[in-house]
Amino acid sequence: MSEPGREAGCVRFFCTAGSGMEPFLTEELRRKLEAEDVTQLSGKVLFSSSVRIHSVVELKAAERLFLLLKHESPLQLSSLSSSAKAAAELKSRLLGDRKQWSSAALTWSRLQGELSQGRGAAANTSSTPRGRRKEEGRGSEEQMEEEKYCDGKSGKSGKREGEQREEERESRGLRGGEEQEEAQTLEKKRKREMSCGVEELILEKRIKRKNHEEADEKERQDEDDEEERRMISSRGSVQSGSRKEKDRAEDGSVENMEHDSVKPAGEEDQKPAPLSRIRPDITSSVTFRISCKCTGSVSRLFSSQEVSRVMGVGLSRMMNWKVDLKNPQLEVNVYLSDDLCLLGIPLSRLPLAHRSYMKTTGLRSTVAWAMTSLAQIQPGSCVVDPMCGVGTILIEAAQEHRAAWFLGVDIDDRQLQKANENIEFAELRTRIQLLKASSMALPLPSGSVDALICDLPFGRKFGTKTNMAANLPVIVAEMERVLRVGGALVLLLSPQLSFLLKKLLSPKDPTPPPGSEVCPCPPLSSTEQQTVSTQPGVKPSPPQERDTQTGPQPPPPPSSLKHHTTLRVSLGAIDGLIHKYVKVDV
Amino acid sequence: MLTSHVKGVTKGYPLLIKATEVKVNEVEFNPQFVSRMIPKLEWSALLQAAEGLGHRQDLPAELVSEYEKDEEFLKKVHRALLEVEVIEGCLQCPESGREFPISRGIPNMLLSEEEA
């Protein structure tokens, strides 16, 4: 009996985003997910939303999506005297209490369940009644695997003792966690059926531990677990235990639970537990791994590995979870810097930037999407990419704007071929047309295009025979010609080409102060967005996405393109600048 | 899709379509999309193109007023516009006679040095 269509209450997430993409992501969050409490940091955006997870994973401007575990003020460890104290402080700050972790694991599990359910991959092999997806999702993760995070085995013995203690704590903690709102439905379910949840796992773990205390080897742990479970389950007969299994103290009840979870467990163990695996499960016997990124003063005290280890030990003791470095069910990402302390659980293996509908990518999909969001595309718009390459921008735009029409132009046969494949793959054949032509001589009537979006070859990743710099004036002139009045022109250029563009299109001052027209400035602050002005002499304005410039002052060489915005985005190894112009009546 | 807005760089318009291979696909009908596209077309050009391909079907000679509500009409336009695809053939400039080949659905409109 699942709660039909139950969505989270508000769940708090965060996304990583490429440098320069944060404002796009913020805007997308607000518009698509009605996100609340949006906090924009450098490279990350935190938000709360209660929409279905499927919408959240459709975000286009984000890189990766995480379930927020903890967002704290930055750690101040330098004042502590010894590294032991610092470690203790680190642990207490980062670990917090069990409830938090339990409920997070529950939420995560539920979301995974929802996701996989949506994907139709609900391979619910467990015997528990369906509807326990949430638990199942979690369960899949719960491979009992030996701690592996410790490089040495030294931690093991300590862990074992700790675990035994933990077991008690865990069951208590589990109940505590279950009190969390999010855990409630799951809890109920578990009560009704055997939720194989934590209890089972706890029991399993406990049993396993006892049985294998001496012989445990890291690598073999999961097999041991599996065997153990099978052993136990074969004795047990009850499939769906009732909640009473909570008293893990009894081996008998363990059997019940084990039995239920054994089947899925068996399968699970055969292959790496996919995140979407559903299994009746609990939070307690999760296998996890900590990934840590430390910068700033914290990194002087601890390396990332050390932090991971400290946290790993602490967490596994507290929650009785197991560490698995190779194939954990749950991954915990920790970001420590001078500005923030952020913990999260990734919700997808692949970054969101990896699009299911793209076969061959050129430009990074997030940046392509960001460009299309600037282009003011309306239903019925005709949108052209005069140097479309493999069509990344057009496809992102077509996915977003379902009633517009797109034309991609390229000079290169191979690029067009790949673009064709991409379009077929994304099934957008009817809305995206391709044309082989030169961007310097576009076979389009003047003023016929509503929006023009282009990623001009920088000359690095995509070689081009033409000398971009020399041809830029002609290319821009053609773009300007085909664009209709009121239409938007969105270009992605390298910093060098941007400089040229500005010279071309900005009001011609007789003596532009050298280098002041274009200032690829370093980020104003980690949380502010890049805005570069085209007016010579004007300093970068305070953070604002729209920095509309007034029109040219002296009668300019008639460029009807009015500059609207310039934004800096990271393209990986290099930076690019996105420019938006609007054609005005001259 | 018949790109009736494409224009030859010698100001020739509309381009004549000569097809040697045409494919008719089945495409989901989206009335909003079609009605938005219609104002952008030159109707006679579309007619001519459709006729040239032998797929004029029963597109009326004149654009129907209030076509947004006429679903039958929209469906016909939808068919000609979105479902008929020229795979191989050429586009010909009415003014100069210059032919632009279409290969695998993609017209090649590159001009040689002299032409541009």
Side-chain angles (χ1 to χ4, degrees), chain A residues 562-580:
Chain A
K562 182 175 114 181
H563 179 258
H564 193 273
T565 327
T566 294
L567 300 161
R568 193 179 193 96
V569 290
S570 162
L571 299 172
I574 47 175
D575 276 355
L577 288 155
I578 299 180
H579 307 266
K580 173 175 169 177

Side-chain angles (χ1 to χ4, degrees), chain A residues 380 405 430 433 436 443 445 450, chain B residues 1 3 5 7 27 40 107 109:
Chain A
W405 182 76
T430 50
Q433 277 262 282
K436 179 170 173 178
D450 297 299
Chain B
M1 186 161 169
T3 55
H5 349 351
K7 183 166 99 168
V27 174
K40 310 229 169 197
M109 310 209 52

Side-chain angles (χ1 to χ4, degrees), chain A residues 379-382 402-405 411 416-417 420 429-431 433-438 441-445 450, chain B residues 1-3 5-9 25 27 30 32-33 36-37 40 82 85 104-111 116:
Chain A
S381 286
C382 169
R402 300 265 155 180
W405 182 76
I411 236 176
L416 284 172
Q417 182 64 348
N420 213 2
R429 186 14 86 245
T430 50
R431 285 193 294 127
Q433 277 262 282
L434 291 175
L435 191 60
K436 179 170 173 178
S438 162
L442 288 172
L444 294 166
D450 297 299
Chain B
M1 186 161 169
L2 311 176
T3 55
H5 349 351
V6 172
K7 183 166 99 168
V9 288
N25 304 305
V27 174
N30 180 345
Q32 193 201 27
F33 180 61
R36 299 291 180 135
M37 289 305 307
K40 310 229 169 197
L82 299 178
E85 196 183 333
R104 289 196 275 217
I106 303 177
N108 178 350
M109 310 209 52
L110 281 176
L111 300 170

Side-chain angles (χ1 to χ4, degrees), chain B residues 90-106:
Chain B
C90 67
L91 297 168
Q92 187 181 39
C93 172
E95 216 169 283
S96 66
R98 163 66 153 101
E99 284 190 356
F100 299 99
I102 302 178
S103 140
R104 289 196 275 217
I106 303 177

Side-chain angles (χ1 to χ4, degrees), chain A residues 1-7 52 54 105-126 128-142 185-186 189-190 193-196 268 275-282:
Chain A
M1 326 291 251
S2 54
E3 260 84 328
R6 180 192 182 264
E7 291 167 15
R52 293 194 66 80
H54 300 105
L106 283 170
T107 310
W108 182 83
S109 210
R110 173 173 61 80
L111 291 175
Q112 290 297 331
E114 279 174 18
L115 274 176
S116 58
Q117 174 203 0
R119 281 197 287 273
N124 181 0
T125 56
S126 91
T128 54
R130 113 230 105 96
R132 240 124 16 109
R133 285 182 293 267
K134 299 175 192 176
E135 289 143 337
E136 291 166 27
R138 258 180 316 185
S140 62
E141 278 117 78
E142 299 170 21
T185 29
L186 290 167
K189 284 187 194 167
R190 272 183 274 142
E193 322 160 76
M194 170 166 144
S195 36
C196 354
E268 300 283 340
L275 285 177
S276 60
R277 204 59 202 247
I278 324 190
R279 238 189 76 172
D281 232 23
I282 329 88

Side-chain angles (χ1 to χ4, degrees), chain A residues 224-296:
Chain A
D224 292 341
D225 292 346
E226 188 177 351
E227 281 166 358
E228 185 181 90
R229 274 180 291 211
R230 289 204 189 107
M231 254 175 9
I232 295 173
S233 65
S234 65
R235 281 178 279 139
S237 49
V238 178
Q239 288 277 336
S240 333
S242 50
R243 215 29 175 5
K244 64 177 166 73
E245 273 130 346
K246 266 195 179 181
D247 27 86
R248 321 176 283 128
E250 277 113 288
D251 277 7
S253 52
V254 173
E255 283 180 16
N256 292 340
M257 285 188 279
E258 299 272 327
H259 190 43
D260 187 295
S261 59
V262 166
K263 279 190 242 151
E267 270 131 24
E268 300 283 340
D269 288 347
Q270 253 102 56
K271 46 190 181 224
L275 285 177
S276 60
R277 204 59 202 247
I278 324 190
R279 238 189 76 172
D281 232 23
I282 329 88
T283 49
S284 64
S285 88
V286 179
T287 59
F288 73 102
R289 167 174 71 195
I290 307 236
S291 300
C292 189
K293 218 186 239 177
C294 291
T295 58

Side-chain angles (χ1 to χ4, degrees), chain A residues 3-24:
Chain A
E3 260 84 328
R6 180 192 182 264
E7 291 167 15
C10 227
V11 180
R12 195 137 176 84
F13 302 92
F14 72 91
C15 286
T16 48
S19 165
M21 292 294 299
E22 299 94 336
F24 291 104

